[in-house]
């Protein structure tokens, strides 16, 4: 079907989104995903604007419930998506090719809510974390999201999970190799493995740990970051995990990477456009996008890298508000 320009698309028009591998129809001024029973959809290739990144929450001050989105394959400023059910910072997101699910945060909460990534609108209640906390790490496959570590009083080594397509309370998954909080924010995963990086307990941590996302159990040692730090940003393709910035205790702009299937210590990749920590990151299969944080002033900066090619990050645009402690996810990350 040959469609006219976007401003003239007829109601009910249908297209196949080559990025999300889903049929979509046009109604009420936007494209909507058609629900089917076919499994394993949503293997993002970042070939069209269908790869969408989501940034949620944070603190300016005050704490925010804002949700922003970007089209990962393009550049430009983030656009308002809707609002979370809670206003907080230091929350963390997991996602499938259709849903973004966000849990925890400060003030300390066990709240989990979700959005449908391809549409816009306010978040809906999902359930509750196994343990209420903030400063958690997160990772996900196409079906399962896992949160790890964080602060209650004191820090914990708890990991809990949800099935992203359903709703309900999180269940116990296992434990990290140590208790820690302020892990890297963003999803670093392959379709089988999830990574958790950095943190503080009570000193800065260089350890990278991994889980087999489909199998309950404790995390295992993967390797080490190039320098011990907390509050960094992470994302991935299906093969490479990317870790950027953080506090050492000085704030840095270093980016490094690992090969997710093999294990081992991180290797230098390049630098972010500015030093920052306490931001978050999202990705498609080709691009990693880093948003927000402090340097030490709060920033609205968004920049990006090409994951397969080492080098420095390039300016992407700006968030709708400068803030720290935000969460990020996408419908095309490496775990799908």
């Amino acid at each position: 079907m040959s469609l006219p320009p976007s401003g003239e698309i007829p109601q009910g028009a249908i297209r196949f989104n080559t990025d999300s591998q889903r049929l979509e129809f046009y109604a009420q001024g936007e494209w909507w995903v058609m629900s089917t029973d076919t499994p394993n959809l949503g293997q993002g290739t970042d070939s069209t604007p269908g790869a969408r990144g989501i940034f949620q929450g944070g603190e300016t001050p005050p704490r925010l419930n804002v949700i922003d989105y970007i089209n990962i394959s393009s550049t430009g400023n983030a656009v308002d998506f809707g609002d979370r059910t809670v206003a907080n910072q230091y929350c963390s997101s997991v996602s499938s090719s259709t849903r973004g699910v966000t849990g925890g945060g400060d003030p300390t909460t066990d709240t989990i809510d979700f959005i449908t990534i391809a549409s816009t609108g306010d978040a809906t209640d999902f359930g509750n974390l196994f343990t209420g906390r903030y400063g958690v790490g997160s990772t996900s496959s196409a079906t399962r999201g896992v949160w790890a570590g964080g602060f209650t009083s004191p820090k914990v080594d708890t990991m809990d999970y949800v099935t992203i397509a359903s709703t309900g309370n999180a269940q116990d998954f296992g434990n990290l190799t140590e208790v820690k909080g302020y892990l890297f924010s963003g999803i670093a995963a392959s379709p089988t493995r999830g990574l958790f990086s950095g943190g503080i307990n009570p000193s800065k941590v260089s350890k990278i740990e991994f889980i087999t996302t489909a199998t309950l159990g404790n995390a295992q040692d993967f390797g080490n970051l190039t320098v011990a730090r907390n509050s960094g940003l992470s994302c991935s393709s299906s093969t490479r995990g990317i870790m950027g910035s953080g506090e050492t205790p000085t704030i840095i702009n270093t980016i490094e990477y690992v090969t997710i299937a093999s294990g081992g210590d991180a290797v230098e990749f390049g630098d972010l456009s500015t030093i920052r920590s306490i931001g978050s990151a999202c990705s498609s299969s080709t691009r990693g996008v880093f948003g927000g944080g402090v340097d030490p002033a709060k920033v609205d900066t968004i920049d990006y890298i090409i994951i397969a090619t080492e080098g420095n990050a390039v300016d992407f645009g700006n968030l709708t508000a400068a803030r720290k402690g935000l969460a990020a996810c996408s419908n095309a990350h490496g775990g799908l």
Side-chain angles (χ1 to χ4, degrees):
M1 177 180 181
S2 177
L3 295 178
S6 59
E8 304 172 20
I9 297 174
Q11 294 289 310
I14 295 173
R15 74 177 184 186
F16 182 72
N17 187 320
T18 57
D19 185 80
S20 65
Q21 300 293 294
R22 284 186 175 273
L23 284 173
E24 299 175 343
F25 67 94
Y26 192 80
Q28 300 176 340
E30 57 187 313
W31 289 99
W32 297 79
V33 175
M34 298 178 68
S35 178
T36 76
D37 293 326
T38 305
N40 299 323
L41 298 175
Q43 303 300 314
T45 61
D46 202 23
S47 59
T48 74
R52 183 176 272 193
I54 304 291
F55 295 95
Q56 304 191 53
E59 186 260 357
T60 57
R63 299 180 182 95
L64 302 176
N65 65 349
V66 65
I67 308 173
D68 297 352
Y69 78 93
I70 57 168
N71 290 320
I72 296 176
S73 63
S74 63
T75 58
N77 295 336
V79 178
D80 181 60
F81 184 99
D83 295 309
R84 292 200 62 208
T85 62
V86 293
N88 62 13
Q89 62 177 331
Y90 303 128
C91 48
S92 193
S93 296
V94 299
S95 59
S96 67
S97 61
T98 55
R99 274 186 173 182
V101 183
T102 303
D106 170 46
T108 304
T109 182
D110 62 1
T111 298
I112 308 172
D113 56 21
F114 76 95
I115 57 168
T116 300
I117 295 174
S119 63
T120 57
D122 294 341
T124 303
D125 181 61
F126 186 99
N128 301 97
L129 290 174
F130 187 68
T131 303
R133 58 202 194 273
Y134 64 94
V136 297
S138 60
T139 193
S140 61
S141 65
T143 57
R144 181 176 277 183
V146 183
W147 289 274
F151 291 88
T152 54
S153 183
K155 295 177 282 290
V156 298
D157 61 1
T158 301
M159 291 192 290
D160 42 9
Y161 77 96
V162 295
T163 301
I164 297 174
S166 63
T167 58
N169 294 335
Q171 304 296 314
D172 182 47
F173 187 95
N175 299 97
L176 293 170
T177 62
E178 59 186 346
V179 298
K180 53 190 167 185
Y182 293 143
L183 285 77
F184 279 45
S185 179
I187 298 168
S190 71
T192 55
R193 279 187 170 183
L195 303 183
F196 300 107
S197 302
I200 186 169
N201 174 36
S203 58
K204 314 293 180 182
V205 175
S206 65
K207 184 179 289 186
I208 307 169
E209 306 181 33
F210 78 94
I211 58 169
T212 302
T213 316
T215 308
L216 305 186
N218 296 333
Q220 300 177 59
D221 183 59
F222 183 96
N224 292 286
L225 299 167
T226 59
V227 61
R229 61 194 193 271
N230 63 278
S231 302
L233 302 77
S234 61
C235 59
S236 70
S237 66
S238 61
T239 56
R240 271 190 175 182
I242 304 293
M243 297 81 171
S245 76
E247 298 180 14
T248 65
T250 58
I251 301 173
I252 61 175
N253 66 346
T254 302
I255 309 171
E256 54 205 63
Y257 74 95
V258 295
T259 302
I260 299 174
S262 61
D265 294 342
V267 177
E268 182 179 355
F269 184 98
D271 296 303
L272 291 173
S273 62
T274 62
I275 62 169
R276 78 183 79 160
S277 68
I278 327 178
S280 197
C282 57
S283 62
S284 69
S285 62
T286 56
R287 276 188 174 186
V289 182
F290 309 89
V294 295
D295 70 347
K298 297 174 184 71
V299 300
D300 62 2
T301 303
I302 309 173
D303 47 20
Y304 76 94
I305 58 167
I306 304 301
I307 296 175
T309 307
E310 289 87 80
N312 295 334
V314 178
D315 180 59
F316 186 100
N318 300 97
L319 296 170
T320 59
R323 58 197 195 266
K324 69 175 178 69
L326 63 167
C329 64
S330 78
N331 60 353
H333 62 79
L336 303 180

